[in-house]
Amino acid sequence: MARTQKNKATEYHLGQLKAKIAKLRTQLLEPPKGSSGAGEGFEVTKFGHGRVALIGFPSVGKSTLLTLLTGTHSEAASYEFTTLTCIPGIIHYNDCKIQLLDLPGIIEGASEGKGRGRQVIAVSKSSDIVLMVLDASKSEGHRQILTKELEAVGLRLNKRPPQIYFKKKKTGGISFNSTVTLTHVDEKLCYQILHEYKIHNAEKVQTFSQLLFREDATVDDLIDVIEGNRKYMKCIYVYNKIDVVGIDDVDKLARQPNSVLNLDRLLAKMWEEMGLVRAYTKPQGQQPDFSDPVVLSSDRGGCSVEDFCNHIHRNLLKDVKYVLVWGTSARHFPQHCGTSHVLHDEDVVQIVKKKDQT
């Protein structure tokens, strides 16, 4: 692929090769047939209102960062691979508890299992966001290597899912539609990629595929949608050892998106990227309880009144008559809301239940 010249005549060939590589890589990552179960990994129970994973090369400062943010001791030394297992800590911030995981350093080839790379990446997939800790003097090279290793196992950093609708049914034919002008793919290339995944018409088995593009997507986007096992996560790049580089390099790093160079801004950036919403309860005829908020998130169920009720008790929703909301999500105070109303951070919610008819 590197030697192939990219032009209109070769784009179909390159698209098929990308599909083959993605398909074979998925097969390599699958557990061997006949295996008794999952392999050795890190058993870390989820705790708190969010989970953050520390990813980086060995001896880049992950353990020191965990100790500074949580107070949990994680051994730090001058040799590589000081941390050999997953060490959790808890950050108390804005009345919320955020679990921070110090993971062993990963190296090039981690997606293939080198240096316990697969276990580290598996824990990262279960997190809400990733903190990628980088050495400021080697930041660009290490950042590209780590991003490549994470993408090889289906993690997409700071990307949103492609606006492509794809569905398979057991009838006949392939339906191709687009609501925008496509410049990276066309109908012929899409058919070739689908055929690579054995999604086509056959004499005995007929598979109908409905494919609808809502944006000008690339071949890689289409392959991700067909594979269906990609996870899109937010990533914050944390630069350590900035005292070894010049002021011009520090200024350049600070201007890059999703980058943090100091601890004061780090917690605020984490809170912003996680999108946690604190909703406070108000019993009827009493003052709001600001000591213990109900913490919601769009990534963990949603932020509507219905999600708020389910978080308190799964049977509460059927007894709700209406809800009163104070806060930035309300047009006036208080506002009568239904269960579909979306709450904002620091809203106050009062639930009015139906009267017992008996």
Side-chain angles (χ1 to χ4, degrees):
M1 289 178 65
R3 294 193 300 267
T4 303
Q5 191 174 14
K6 294 182 180 180
N7 53 49
K8 197 70 176 177
T10 60
E11 64 179 8
Y12 300 109
H13 175 64
L14 291 172
Q16 282 185 302
L17 290 179
K18 286 182 178 180
K20 286 182 180 180
I21 291 172
K23 185 179 176 182
L24 292 172
R25 182 176 286 125
T26 301
Q27 293 175 359
L28 286 173
L29 294 175
E30 290 176 352
K33 292 183 179 179
S35 60
S36 57
E40 182 184 358
F42 302 125
E43 294 183 4
V44 183
T45 304
K46 276 195 173 185
F47 180 82
H49 304 111
R51 172 182 272 197
V52 180
L54 287 171
I55 290 289
F57 273 77
S59 298
V60 79
K62 299 186 299 299
S63 299
T64 304
L65 183 61
L66 175 81
T67 304
L68 287 172
L69 292 177
T70 68
T72 303
H73 175 69
S74 181
E75 186 178 353
S78 58
Y79 53 87
E80 295 186 346
F81 292 106
T82 311
T83 303
L84 297 176
T85 186
C86 179
I87 300 176
I90 300 298
I91 300 173
H92 296 271
Y93 187 74
N94 284 349
D95 297 327
C96 293
K97 297 175 183 178
I98 302 172
Q99 187 180 45
L100 184 65
L101 303 180
D102 180 18
L103 297 168
I106 60 177
I107 56 177
E108 191 169 3
S111 59
E112 300 169 5
K114 293 183 180 179
R116 304 197 75 180
R118 287 189 179 177
Q119 292 96 317
V120 173
I121 294 172
V123 175
S124 303
K125 279 189 170 183
S126 68
S127 304
D128 297 305
I129 64 171
V130 170
L131 284 187
M132 187 180 291
V133 186
L134 301 166
D135 187 332
S137 60
K138 310 170 186 176
S139 60
E140 192 56 38
H142 282 186
R143 179 173 171 171
Q144 291 179 0
I145 293 171
L146 291 172
T147 302
K148 180 181 177 183
E149 294 297 328
L150 294 175
E151 286 193 345
V153 293
L155 269 176
R156 301 291 182 262
L157 303 180
N158 294 326
K159 295 181 180 178
R160 59 178 180 80
Q163 296 298 305
I164 303 175
Y165 175 79
F166 174 70
K167 188 174 183 180
K168 292 193 293 184
K169 294 180 180 179
K170 289 186 177 180
T171 48
I174 295 177
S175 171
F176 179 89
N177 292 291
S178 174
T179 60
V180 296
T181 303
L182 301 178
T183 60
H184 302 290
V185 298
D186 58 17
E187 189 171 352
K188 179 182 176 183
L189 179 56
C190 291
Y191 286 166
Q192 289 181 341
I193 294 173
L194 289 171
H195 290 171
E196 187 63 41
Y197 283 89
K198 293 182 170 55
I199 302 173
H200 54 268
N201 289 329
E203 292 181 0
K204 295 183 179 179
V205 180
Q206 292 184 330
T207 304
F208 170 77
S209 300
Q210 187 176 356
L211 192 62
L212 174 61
F213 284 80
R214 296 191 179 97
E215 66 175 18
D216 188 14
T218 63
V219 173
D220 296 319
D221 293 333
L222 175 59
I223 293 172
D224 286 348
V225 171
I226 296 173
E227 287 282 348
N229 58 356
R230 307 307 194 218
K231 183 168 184 182
Y232 298 84
M233 298 184 64
K234 294 179 180 178
C235 177
I236 301 174
Y237 304 99
V238 182
Y239 295 95
N240 193 17
K241 305 178 184 178
I242 60 173
D243 54 328
V244 301
V245 298
I247 189 65
D248 293 335
D249 293 327
V250 172
D251 182 69
K252 182 180 177 181
L253 292 175
R255 295 178 185 278
Q256 293 187 4
N258 304 303
S259 298
V260 177
L261 275 70
N262 58 69
L263 283 174
D264 296 335
R265 174 63 182 146
L266 178 57
L267 290 175
K269 183 67 175 175
M270 285 172 51
W271 179 265
E272 178 186 333
E273 293 296 333
M274 293 183 75
L276 297 179
V277 172
R278 294 165 293 172
Y280 298 97
T281 57
K282 181 187 181 302
Q284 294 187 37
Q286 301 180 30
Q287 293 296 319
D289 180 12
F290 292 109
S291 61
D292 188 17
V294 175
V295 182
L296 307 171
S297 171
S298 57
D299 295 331
R300 289 192 175 193
C303 301
S304 67
V305 171
E306 180 179 354
D307 303 316
F308 175 84
C309 295
N310 290 331
H311 194 280
I312 296 175
H313 196 280
R314 60 185 179 183
N315 295 326
L316 176 61
L317 190 63
K318 63 182 181 181
D319 296 327
V320 173
K321 182 178 181 181
Y322 62 89
V323 175
L324 297 176
V325 176
W326 292 260
T328 56
S329 69
R331 291 191 294 269
H332 47 80
F333 303 141
Q335 179 180 342
H336 286 246
C337 300
T339 56
S340 61
H341 179 80
V342 178
L343 300 171
H344 293 178
D345 190 30
E346 295 189 299
D347 278 359
V348 176
V349 181
Q350 176 180 315
I351 298 174
V352 179
K353 299 175 70 175
K354 298 175 184 176
K355 292 183 179 180
D356 191 356
Q357 300 297 328
T358 60

